[in-house]
Amino acid sequence: YHSTTLGKCSAYEETSVHYRSGYYKVGLKCTQQNGTKLYCPNTCNASSPDIIGNYAPCKGKIECPNGGDGLCECGGKKYCDGDETCSASQDYDSTPLGKCSAYEETSVLYRSGYYKVGLKCTQQNGTKLYCPNKCNASSPDILGNDAPCKGKIECSGSLFATGETCTCGGKTYGSTCAATCNYEETPTSCSSKGKTFNQKCIDSSQNKFGECI
């Protein structure tokens, strides 16, 4: 029925099994002479807009497994943001966050230089999994935001962060790194002794230390 308001679609009666098995009625397609109304269907969790430009009631969600309860009901089925198969190794391209490996908030990842970009999915036991990104990544994350410590340097071992510092994911980042300061002389102390200050290191407060020569 190309000339109708709803354009081209296969249409079904309201009592059709379609509307009890994961489909919803987009709108009325036509009315037969006996009064039977036929409707255009669309899948309840379709990721693309339907033929009149609206999104499905449970867009992007997945059908709850094992008859589980979902936050969204449509077409005789229940849909969830995630299920027990939702894991770090599985991709969910249809979710708002796109493709990523996801981890629990308590993961060691978020205490070792990564931050949570956003919620990826929720398992049926309530466990939430988040997409990670490196705290000092130079490129935007999958939401288009810059990392909290973008472009800064992670100082490890005996080095510590100096300059403009930033803390994220259990680590501290800086504009530069400096070695642990074991020298006591300062520019002022050397000047009072009439000697030249030879800088060896700088602390996190930008205080310079070295030796007098």
Side-chain angles (χ1 to χ4, degrees), residues 86-184:
C86 175
S87 67
S89 60
Q90 192 166 353
D91 296 327
Y92 297 86
D93 293 353
S94 63
T95 71
L97 288 183
K99 184 176 181 179
C100 83
S101 293
Y103 301 87
E104 293 182 43
E105 190 170 18
T106 55
S107 170
V108 67
L109 204 72
Y110 300 120
R111 301 192 302 276
S112 58
Y114 287 79
Y115 69 97
K116 302 188 298 291
V117 174
L119 180 65
K120 179 65 174 182
C121 54
T122 304
Q123 296 175 318
Q124 284 213 339
N125 63 6
T127 300
K128 296 182 182 296
L129 300 185
Y130 298 84
C131 291
N133 198 45
K134 290 189 69 173
C135 286
N136 63 340
S138 57
S139 302
D141 58 36
I142 57 177
L143 288 181
N145 299 319
D146 286 331
C149 302
K150 177 186 176 184
K152 297 194 181 302
I153 304 169
E154 179 188 345
C155 302
S156 58
S158 61
L159 301 178
F160 61 90
T162 61
E164 185 179 344
T165 60
C166 173
T167 301
C168 170
K171 295 189 176 185
T172 300
Y173 301 81
S175 303
T176 56
C177 296
T180 303
C181 242
N182 295 320
Y183 293 84
E184 297 182 355

